[in-house]
Each structure stands twice: as C-alpha cells, then as structure tokens.
Amino acid sequence: MSEIPTKYDFQDNESRIYDSWEKKGFFHAKVNPGGKPFVIVIPPPNVTGILHMGHALNDTIQDILVRYHKMIGEETLWMPGTDHAGIATQNVVERKLGREGLRRQDLGREKFLEQVWLWKEQHGSTIIRQLKRLGCACDWERTRFTMDEGYSEAVQEVFIRLHQKGLIYRGNYIINWCPRCQTALSDEEAPHQDSSGFLYYIRYPLEDGSGSLTVATTRPETMLGDTAVAVNPRDERYKKFIGKRIILPFLDRLIPVIADDFVDPEFGTGAVKVTPAHDPNDYGMGRRHDLPFINILHPDGRMNENAGDYAGMDRFEAREALVEALRERGLLEKIVSHDHAVGHCYRCNTVIEPYLSKQWFVRMKPLAGPAVTAVKDGRIKFHPERWEKVYLNWMENIQDWCISRQIWWGHRLPVYYCPRCQSKDGEAGVTVARQKPEKCPVCGSAEIVQDNDVLDTWFSSWLWPFATFGWPRPEADSELKYFYPTSVLVTAQEIIFFWVARMIMAGLEFMNDIPFSDVYIHGTVRDKTGKKMSKSLGNVIDPLEIIDDFGADALRISLISLTSMGQDVYLSRDKFEYGRNFANKIWNAARFIQMNLDVDHLPADPLAGFSDFAEMPLAERWIISRFYSVEAEVRRSLERFRFNEAAGLLYDFFWHQFCDWYLELAKLSISENHTQQTLYRILSGSLLLLHPFMPFLTEELWTRLCPSAGSLMTHPWPAALPGVIDRELEGEMGLIITVCGTMRNLRSRKGLSPRVKVKVRIFVDEAGKRRILENNIEYVKYLVNAEEISFSEENQPPSPSVVSDVISGCSIFLDAGGEINKAEEEAKINKRIAELEEAIRRKEQLLNNPRFREKAPPEVVEKESAGKKELVEEREKLEQVKNALSR
C-alpha cells in the first residue's frame, strides 16, 4: 500500500493512467464463445471535429455503460472511428486553399483529393486524442474510418445490391440545393428555420387585355421560371380565367391559367404562380399538367441565361431588382410581412434553393417496412419511450432519399457512362459495377467515364454497425456472428432520421437482423439560459478547458448528475465545481482512512465476505447493508439507463452516509478490527461502484489502497452478499441520523459552536422508536456533542431556554442555556407547520387521483398513505409544542 498524497494531481495522473490501460490492452475485445458480448458502436465524429460538450455528454454515457458491463463480466467492445464528413471536410480544405489564393478547380479532382487526404492524416486524429483525454475505453486497435479501404468496399457493395433490387434509381426531380456548397442535400440536411419574410402580390396581365390576375409569392425572382398560374377549380372567383393565357412580365412569355386541387384558395389571393423547376409543389403540378420546366439558376445561385436581363445577378440581388421593376411598371400590388419556414444547409446555413436536377435516389418505403415492425414488436426499444412515436411517424411517411452529392470528397458512385450512348439517349450506356467496364455493354465503345458525384456521407455511416466489423468480406464472419447485433446505441435526437432509422433499415436489409436492441436518446447541451451552445452565440463551454481546470472525472460526474433521462442539460462553468468538490471529498476520505489503517491486518481481497457480520455493532452493520443496497439500486438504474439517478445514489451514499455519518462514528472505535475492516472494504467497494463514472480518480486510489488486486479495469463489480442487506436495521440507523440531523440544525439555529455541549430532551410516543434511540444513545450523544439526553413523557418544552422541532414522530427539545426569543421560535414552528401542510396537501392530491390508484402498485399506494400519516402526526406534535410554548 502506497501513501496517498495530500492533493490529487489529476493533470499528471490522468494521462499516465490512460497510457497504462491502453498499453495493457484493457480496451481490446476478442471473440469469446463462453462470454456474453456487450457492444456499442460510437457515433463516429466528423474527421474535422473537435470535442464539444455534446460529445462529452454522449461519450461519457457510452463509457459508463462500457465500463459497467465489463465489470459485470461481459466481453465488452466499444467500436471507435471517424466519419469522412464529405461536405464539412471539403469545405475545410477549400478554405485552407482559399487562404493560399487557390480554388479546388485550380488543382483538379485528383490533386485536390490528395490535399484532403494529407489534411486528414495531419488533423484527423485530433478528436481521437481528445476522446482519450475524456477517458473513453474504446477498442482503439479497431479504429475505423468511413473511407478506409475495407469500409469503402462495403459502401460500394450496398449501392450495387440496392441497384440490382431496383431500390436505387436516377431521376430528374426537385431537390434541395445549396448554392454555397453546390451540392444536393437530403430533406434532413436542409432543416427549416422560422424566418420573417414578405409576401409579394404581383399582377400578371391577361393576354386578351381584359385585366390581370394577382398572385402572391415569397420568392418573386422565381417568376422568371413560371410556366403557369394555378387556381383551385372550385374557387368561384377564378373559374372564368381557367384556360386563358397570361403574359409573364419582363419575358413576355405566354403561360396558361390552370386548375389544380392542390391550390389553397385561402393562401394569398387564391391564385399561385407555378415554377416547376424551382418548387417541389409546383413540380408536381408541372408533371400533372405537362408544363415546361425552366431552370433560371446557375449552381452557385446566380441567375442564368433564362432570366433575361437579370442573368448573372445573385438570386437575392435579382429579387430586389425585380421588385423595383415591378413597382415601376405598376405590377406590384402590395408587400405584406409573412413569417414562414425556410430550408437552410445544415453545414453552412445558406438558404437552400429547390432545384430541378438529375440525381440518384434510394426507394425508402420497401426498406422502412421491416424497420417499423422491429420497433412496433419491441425488438428495438427507445429510451425515453416518447422517441418511438417520433421515429414511427417519420418512417411511416418516409420519402425517397437523394444520395448523390456534387462534391469531390467522398465515395464516388460506382456508376459508369458511355458518352457515345449518352449523346443519343440520356438513359442508355449506364453501368453500375464494382470495377470500371472495359467497354460499353450497349455499343462496345472503350470510352467509359465514371460518374463525378459522390454519395451522401450518411450512405456510408448507415452501415456502421456491421461494416466496421469487415462486412462483406468472408473473413469477417466470425466477428460479425459474435459482435452483431450490437447492444445499445447512444445518440442525440437530431440524428434519429439521419442515422438511427437508416441503420435499422440497413441492418435488417443486409444482415437480416436489427443493428441494436436499445436506443438511448440524450438531451441537448444548453447554456444556463436555455440557449443551445454555439460558437456564433459565444456561449460555448470547452470541455477540454474544463478537463484542464477540474479534471476529466469532475467533468464526467458533473455532466451525468445534471442529465435526467432524455432531458436537455443546462450548463454553466460553476456547475463543474460539483464534480471537483466530490472528487476532493473522495480523495480526502480515502487519505484519512488510509492514515488510520493497520495494513498488517487487512484482507487480501478487499471485498471478501463479512464472516462476523451478525456480531458487528449497529454502525458497521448499517453501512455494510447500505453499501449493498446502494449497489443493487445503482445496478438497476444503469440497466434502465437512468444515469443521473445512479450518480446521485453514489454521491449521496459516499458523501452523506459514509463520510458525514459513518466516518464520524468510526472515530469512536477506529483501532478496532471490525471498524478497520469495514472502512477498508466499504471504501474499496465504493471505488468500484464509482469507477464507471470517475475512472481516473478511482484507479489511482485503488492502486494505492489495493496494490495486489490489479487494475480496476479488470476487477469485477461488487457481488451481492447474502444476508447483509437489512432494511429494518437501515431504518433504525436512519431514525438515529434523522434525529441527530435535526439536533444539529437546532444547534445551528441557536448559533452554537459544535464544541459547545448541549442538553437534549426527546418526546417519542412510539415505543419502538424510543427503544431504538435508547439502545443507541451513545451514538446520538457523540454525533451531536450532548452532555445529557433524556426522554420526556410530555410533548412540551421542559424550560424556557429550549429550541424545538419535530421529525419522524419525535419532538426534540435542545437546551443550551439562556432565554429564547419566543416570538422567533413560534414563527419558525409556524413556518414548519405550513411546510408540512403543503406536503400533506400534495400527498392527498396524489392519493385522491383515480389514475394513480388504478396504475400504481399496491405497495406504492401504501407507502404514500403511510407518508401522509407521518406528516399529519408531525404537524400535530408541532401544534402541541407551539401551544405549550405560548403558555
């Protein structure tokens, strides 16, 4: 046993301890036919990423699960890796080139990709190093990257198989287009944000000169691509216009007035402009009415040659110019404020443009069906359960997934074209293959080119639970059979649709099994005012700074203690003082205990059974019983994903029950064997229970206290001991602690120093409680520094110098000499009575609730009823004390 220093140096110890774990291979998992696997795949952070507080929360939860399941004897694997993050990574490298005065087009595709790979080698492991600082017990020997060779093979295989089944197709459709990134985006990548905009009311002149039709639009610049005006066929106002033609301002194009049920007569004027190439709803009308599709935009958001005099202008510049021109021509009827939701690029926040483009899509409905069933039949469970409804609603209304992206960094589509055939027929000469064909299967031409597009980043990450194990290579079969399906997925609500749902679909399609059985959705990290943390708001708390200042354990335990299941986390820097203070408490308690241990008489196994348990004094039997009760409660909480509950149980046990009460009582007999054994074993056991939450501190103390027991990483979770949990005994000691706590509060109320001895009189009308207090009166006297404790037969103050309170059916009168202020004392009693009455009211409200009585187990109802009865009795005793005081 080595001496515990005065202060814990977390900055030195954390890196040293982590390096030791990694070198000894404690994180590595192997196929173990005799063991049960527990597997988590990390949500792969972007290769561009740096650790933020959302990562810290997510990865701390995963690490707690991994360490706990390792300790209970399972073959535990936490699969790490990073995502190539197509758009994000390309943007980073393009910005780097921009600072050098270059564009990617200046380099060309191959040279640009060389630059991206170079950047990845130089910076891509930053997030990995930071995860290690957090303490993540990942199997780093298995680290995967979504563009490594084997993984890329899996991505290609999936594309080809889906294409062969007719589930991947190419089509000309309206998609979300980001003019900044110049690529298509899926609906999930173009989230809508509420925006304050305008409705522009524009007059379109009729060809016959009989007047005009007024339409309302939020995007007047798109009028240059209009090919119709639509009205509802049941709208009496416009029936006479159906079939007429309108002169499109500025371009003098004649366009028809059509009737379509889609038009909402209540929106604007009830007449809408139809721009099939630039609006998803108009696209549908364009198909139904065989309208022309006119694209008016370049990919970068500038107006193209179809925009007439406005060609070359930015879309928003063109909007202003068009509105001014409409005003000058007398065609702008009015402008009104209009709040609406506008899609934005999830990467650069640019307003997206609905854009007609030929893209590749996945048919999702055939894949979604089995994934819906897997959740409905309970094979996959969401925690909290409310996310199941969100998932099912999206899956049951799923749209086809646009998977092609017009960037260079990513998995290039395994699609090859014959230019000769394409020039004759755009759909001819298309080959989907694992290798580039030597010649065109249609015309025999050897001139073959590969599609320039790459796949959506999520098309690779939806394969993560099985591609990381080597699928589809045959040599991966043994690992896949053992480690797949994985056990739990821990993630955030934002990627339920991006990632979670798609992984479920991919697992069922390609592995014929679910990818995981439980999905834990944690909340969003926000600042103390409730705003989401972001660099632009300047409210970010850097987890690495917190680790530097407080230590990784303080960060972890603070975050988890604040995290109720599925609820958002509200953070400020001072919240991490909680974890720092707790770490100091554990360290100081361990040091005090070590200083008082006789090391020659300690057991080799710190968690060996207590053979003399029945003969031990009450205090020892109580703390041992409480330890194993807490162990069972923590285990239940972890199995139910109630992490803050488990952390709270451990905090309360160690700080309050073990340190505040048992360590005080242990001083009475600290040299005796039963006290020495109990201190050593309960401290050691507490380190084991705390290890998943605070791995570094607990490892350092464990190796100093139990040098022959090996690392905590290889030590089992404390096993339940038969016969040591005694609820009745815990209740007895609970009564003593409650009474002593009230006495201490009365001392404080009186302003007495802890060193001043006091006299206490207790009135108890329950014989059982009085017996407990009488049998352990020496404990009570020691804990409150009382020179005398006696029992009264009457519930009234014995002298005018006492302060009083009622708790757990006991009236306590503390006398320290001197007169008391009766008015002040009566006011305090009245305040306490009011608190009790409010608590009674809440209990009655609960007990009178029919739903509670119907659904709650009988023992819960009984417990609430008993609680109400106890509160009523306390109130009555306080009333008696108050009445006696006023005499």
Side-chain angles (χ1 to χ4, degrees), residues 166-197:
L167 295 178
I168 282 184
Y169 64 95
R170 186 168 65 146
N172 217 21
Y173 293 95
I174 287 282
I175 48 88
N176 303 298
W177 183 264
C178 175
R180 158 65 182 80
C181 300
Q182 292 194 38
T183 185
L185 301 170
S186 68
D187 288 343
E188 293 73 36
E189 292 170 319
H192 282 68
Q193 300 174 17
D194 290 335
S195 302
S196 296

Side-chain angles (χ1 to χ4, degrees), residues 223-242:
M223 68 182 290
L224 302 174
D226 285 359
T227 55
V229 168
V231 297
N232 192 293
R234 290 179 297 279
D235 192 334
E236 294 295 336
R237 295 173 297 172
Y238 296 116
K239 280 188 175 181
K240 64 182 179 182
F241 295 102
I242 297 170

